[in-house]
Amino acid sequence: MGRLTGGDPSLLRRINSAVVLHALRATDFATLTEITRVTGLSRPTVEGVVDDLIGAGLVVETAVEEPGARRQGRPARKFRFRAEAGHLLGLEIGPHRVAAVLSALDGRIIGTAAKDVDEAAPAEERIERLRGTVADLLRRAGVARGSLRAVGVGSPGIVEADGTVRLGTALPGWTGLPLGERLRRSFKCPVIVENDANTAAVAEHWQGAGVDSDDMVFVMAGLSPGAGSLIGGRLHRGYGGAAGEIGALHLLGRGVRPETLLSTTDEPLHPLDEQAVTKVFALARQGDAQAGAAMERFIQRLVHDVAALVLALDPELVVVGGWAAGLDGVLDPLRRELERYCLRPPRVALSLLGEAAVATGALRLALDHVEEQLFATEGTVTARR
């Protein structure tokens, strides 16, 4: 696969290559004349760049039948971007499941896979479960592992730039885990590891509820909620990668932990027991008084945490995701609270991607990495600085 690097002889030629490749990826196919018109480059320059891109395996000449009557003379040569020249993976690692999304170089999804995993599974077992999921997906899609150009990973916890989990309380054995290093043993391509709420925010901005909002917050609702934020269209990680850790806000006031707030007994819920949480929400909707009170306590805490982040960042949009059940009960209280405190309250919406958000955002990480190589972009939504 071709790469545009600083070691190439001509900066101008690299820029021209990126411009032509952009033009071809934006359409099904194009002639040299059409590429020349769109890019503003001279025809000889376009011809030379296209030949180089064909040699790099990124562009191919294609035969396209013209509609209507047969034209006399030699038909114009037509070219297209070879999205099949490589593939990308987006991976999700969660308390109860691991998931994988496979795409071509244009981001078009060609396969998905997911497997359940026990919440108490040790780190090694969880990673092996993920590897098995990837192997099954690649086999079913008929894609060779060597075709992968980048892998994005969404994981709970505060994640360092090299993929090490600095702090991860949601999964057993996760704190201090060199996750990026472990996964790079399975792939001969770059592996980019990111916090799960951050990847979900990227996904909603790419294909979900936030496609029209460059200033947005994604809230991963749970017993230990987290958030990912985009500011000016770029992912905001904070100095140490801990931006959005709203689940720790209760510690400031030494408040009751969320697993106690949602309990309908004298015993707190297990921090990873999503089934117990779902049961509480279901009972509340059925009119159970204790469950209703527990749900109200939890929603008020979540609203408080989100409001604190919104006041700090002033986003245009807040997207709420995380649990499959009960999230609709959060929206109205959150809207009311934000209207009380915010000069210009943000819009509030449910996630459109649901449980696919983390893996989809991880795929976007991989796509951004490849686009930085192919198109020599100044920066992307997810690029680390």
Side-chain angles (χ1 to χ4, degrees):
M1 176 177 164
R3 293 184 60 182
L4 309 177
T5 68
D8 293 340
S10 169
L11 175 62
L12 181 59
R13 191 168 188 83
R14 289 191 291 116
I15 294 173
N16 290 341
S17 294
V19 170
V20 170
L21 203 55
H22 261 301
L24 283 171
R25 202 179 72 153
T27 187
D28 291 335
F29 56 87
T31 65
L32 292 174
T33 299
E34 290 167 340
I35 299 170
T36 298
R37 183 177 66 250
V38 169
T39 62
L41 300 173
S42 69
R43 186 180 179 94
T45 296
V46 169
E47 288 180 333
V49 169
V50 168
D51 286 343
D52 287 347
L53 292 173
I54 290 174
L58 293 171
V59 169
V60 65
E61 186 171 352
T62 182
V64 180
E65 294 184 5
E66 292 283 354
R70 180 182 180 88
R71 298 180 60 181
Q72 293 184 351
R74 182 179 179 182
R77 299 170 67 197
K78 297 178 176 65
F79 305 90
R80 68 173 178 84
F81 172 65
R82 288 190 69 239
E84 70 275 19
H87 296 85
L88 310 167
L89 269 179
L91 307 180
E92 173 195 358
I93 304 174
H96 302 281
R97 76 167 202 159
V98 293
V101 179
L102 178 68
S103 85
L105 288 181
D106 56 2
R108 177 178 51 87
I109 295 176
I110 58 179
T112 63
K115 291 185 178 182
D116 293 335
V117 61
D118 191 273
E119 64 188 37
E124 185 60 38
E125 179 180 332
R126 200 175 300 273
I127 292 173
E128 285 304 313
R129 192 73 166 165
L130 181 66
R131 288 185 175 124
T133 304
V134 169
D136 289 348
L137 175 57
L138 294 177
R139 182 172 59 253
R140 285 193 286 106
V143 171
R145 187 174 293 264
S147 174
L148 296 175
R149 304 308 180 197
V151 177
V153 186
S155 165
I158 299 171
V159 181
E160 303 278 6
D162 66 355
T164 299
V165 182
R166 181 180 179 186
L167 178 65
T169 58
L171 303 179
W174 223 243
T175 295
L177 179 70
L179 182 59
E181 177 185 325
R182 297 292 301 278
L183 292 178
R184 289 182 190 103
R185 300 174 188 173
S186 300
F187 305 103
K188 296 180 179 179
C189 65
V191 176
I192 306 100
V193 185
E194 185 57 81
N195 168 266
D196 54 358
N198 286 349
T199 61
V202 169
E204 293 290 342
H205 183 261
W206 181 31
Q207 295 182 348
V211 291
D212 297 322
S213 300
D214 282 345
D215 290 271
M216 60 165 285
V217 168
F218 177 90
V219 179
M220 184 76 75
L223 287 176
S224 181
S229 305
L230 268 68
I231 300 176
R234 289 184 60 84
L235 186 62
H236 177 69
R237 296 180 177 86
Y239 177 71
E245 291 295 320
I246 58 176
L249 284 176
H250 72 279
L251 298 175
L252 298 178
R254 298 182 180 179
V256 179
R257 298 183 67 85
E259 50 265 38
T260 300
L261 289 174
L262 263 178
S263 175
T264 57
T265 68
D266 293 333
E267 294 295 324
L269 301 181
H270 188 283
L272 300 180
D273 193 347
E274 293 179 6
Q275 291 183 344
V277 172
T278 301
K279 183 177 180 180
V280 171
F281 275 90
L283 289 173
R285 288 194 296 271
Q286 294 169 13
D288 183 276
Q290 284 187 313
M295 179 177 172
E296 180 65 22
R297 291 193 300 268
F298 173 77
I299 288 177
Q300 287 304 313
R301 171 62 60 77
L302 182 64
V303 166
H304 173 273
D305 293 348
V306 175
L309 186 60
V310 167
L311 286 171
L313 297 181
D314 186 28
E316 177 188 5
L317 172 69
V318 174
V319 179
V320 183
W323 286 328
L327 287 175
D328 52 339
V330 174
L331 298 191
D332 286 340
L334 182 55
R335 291 190 183 105
R336 289 194 298 267
E337 193 76 358
L338 295 179
E339 287 171 0
R340 288 179 58 195
Y341 295 113
C342 298
L343 180 64
R344 182 179 294 175
R347 292 186 293 113
V348 180
L350 283 179
S351 165
L352 293 183
L353 298 176
E355 66 177 6
V358 174
T360 301
L363 179 67
R364 181 69 240 190
L365 294 179
L367 183 58
D368 271 358
H369 181 85
V370 168
E371 286 184 347
E372 282 193 304
Q373 293 180 317
L374 295 182
F375 305 133
T377 53
E378 284 273 326
T380 62
V381 170
T382 57
R384 287 187 182 269
R385 293 296 185 190

